[in-house]
Amino acid sequence: MTAVDTTANLAAGNPTPTRRARKAGRLSVGVSYAILLLVLIVVLFANFLAPYDPNKQDLNAILLPMSGDHWLGTDDLGRDVFSRMLYGTRVSVLAALLAVAISVVIGLPLGIAAGWLSGATDLIVMRVVDAVMSFPAIVLAIGITATMGPDITTAMISVGIVMSPAILRLARAQTMAIRSETYIEAAKSFGARGLRRMVLPHVLPNIIQPILVQVAVLMGFALIAEASLSFLQLGVQPPTASWGAVLSRAYTFLDQAPMQIFIPGIAIAATVFAFNIIGDEIQRLLDPKRK
């Protein structure tokens, strides 16, 4: 678009492509906040919001369609899908939080150590990371979970281990960049040494911005990983509900109740979208160059 076209659009009251993009960006951020707020409310108050016991079976109400009594229908055992989705939200989100927490606990200190100490420490840590990353992430998580036994806690520990290289590599790169800064050299010249006087006050605060962005993105990946493992019956075990477990049951009876497979799928997609958008928003808000 030329300058003449832009001026004509402004004169006519039409928004420019840049303004339209900004408006769409603000809308997506608002929708993402709304989705995550709704998810948080469900996680905290699922007990009060669910109209039925999520595990209660009613063999006289198998695979019922959506109705006033069962808003999202019932599954193959007569359990209320809406109630199972509410309780499953809590399980899926807390499982994703566990995986991300483990990835940060493993990746952040090792990444800082590799970037700050360099030399042999950096070489050993990065060779281990290369070995872990040589396998597809979800395949490695499936292998670890299958070896240790199917369980949601085991599954998310596996996912956390698989995701830790993303945090580690980012923390290492940021630490190496900070290590060469002038204020680090000045602090060293005044005798500052060690974890308490150098890493904690100077390194950690300056790498927290990209780490927070990465954490938001990894939350989306962890949700997908939990759904994938539970779909394969390597995550939550019956009768516990999660988004992946509900999706697995719906897939089994796809020909009889096709609408039920969309419910957990939309929930997963919307929440992952929200975490990705919020990650971009965190990066924008914490950008030191932002006016």
Side-chain angles (χ1 to χ4, degrees):
M1 180 179 289
T2 65
V4 175
D5 294 332
T6 302
T7 304
N9 281 334
L10 292 175
N14 298 326
T16 63
T18 302
R19 288 186 177 181
R20 287 196 294 268
R22 288 177 179 173
K23 184 177 180 180
R26 288 194 296 269
L27 178 62
S28 64
V29 170
V31 171
S32 298
Y33 277 125
I35 291 172
L36 294 185
L37 178 61
L38 178 61
V39 168
L40 178 61
I41 291 172
V42 172
V43 169
L44 294 176
F45 303 106
N47 294 358
F48 304 100
L49 297 174
Y52 298 95
D53 182 340
N55 299 325
K56 184 178 180 180
Q57 302 179 17
D58 184 359
L59 300 182
N60 295 319
I62 294 176
L63 296 176
L64 293 180
M66 299 178 183
S67 65
D69 293 330
H70 301 281
W71 291 359
L72 300 179
T74 60
D75 65 6
D76 59 299
L77 296 176
R79 297 173 297 189
D80 183 64
V81 175
F82 179 66
S83 299
R84 289 184 64 76
M85 282 296 298
L86 293 179
Y87 277 85
T89 301
R90 174 183 293 173
V91 172
S92 295
V93 171
L94 293 181
L97 284 173
L98 173 62
V100 172
I102 290 172
S103 70
V104 173
V105 168
I106 295 174
L108 185 58
L110 288 178
I112 292 175
W116 185 260
L117 300 176
S118 65
T121 302
D122 183 38
L123 181 63
I124 294 172
V125 170
M126 293 313 296
R127 293 297 76 78
V128 174
V129 169
D130 291 341
V132 173
M133 296 188 69
S134 64
F135 297 92
I138 193 64
V139 174
L140 183 58
I142 290 173
I144 296 174
T145 305
T147 301
M148 299 177 65
D151 176 74
I152 185 61
T153 303
T154 302
M156 300 323 290
I157 291 174
S158 303
V159 173
I161 294 172
V162 169
M163 293 193 306
S164 61
I167 297 290
L168 192 154
R169 289 166 65 93
L170 180 60
R172 171 181 175 268
Q174 295 293 319
T175 302
M176 292 179 69
I178 291 171
R179 190 181 61 182
S180 61
E181 293 289 342
T182 305
Y183 66 86
I184 296 294
E185 297 298 328
K188 288 181 178 179
S189 68
F190 282 101
R193 294 288 188 277
L195 177 69
R196 185 176 62 86
R197 301 185 64 183
M198 288 296 295
V199 175
L200 293 181
H202 297 297
V203 176
L204 193 57
N206 287 291
I207 69 173
I208 199 65
Q209 173 197 342
I211 294 298
L212 289 176
V213 175
Q214 189 68 27
V215 163
V217 174
L218 289 180
M219 275 296 298
F221 177 83
L223 283 171
I224 295 175
E226 184 280 325
S228 301
L229 293 172
S230 294
F231 184 86
L232 298 172
Q233 300 181 4
L234 294 174
V236 296
Q237 299 301 300
T240 306
S242 76
W243 287 347
V246 174
L247 186 67
S248 179
R249 303 295 297 192
Y251 177 77
T252 304
F253 297 92
L254 180 61
D255 56 336
Q256 301 177 49
M259 287 301 298
Q260 290 189 10
I261 200 169
F262 292 102
I263 298 164
I266 291 173
I268 295 168
T271 309
V272 171
F273 164 82
F275 275 117
N276 285 326
I277 294 297
I278 295 305
D280 292 339
E281 181 66 4
I282 292 173
Q283 184 176 24
R284 186 185 70 85
L285 292 175
L286 297 181
D287 187 356
K289 299 180 181 179
R290 177 173 175 258
K291 294 182 180 179

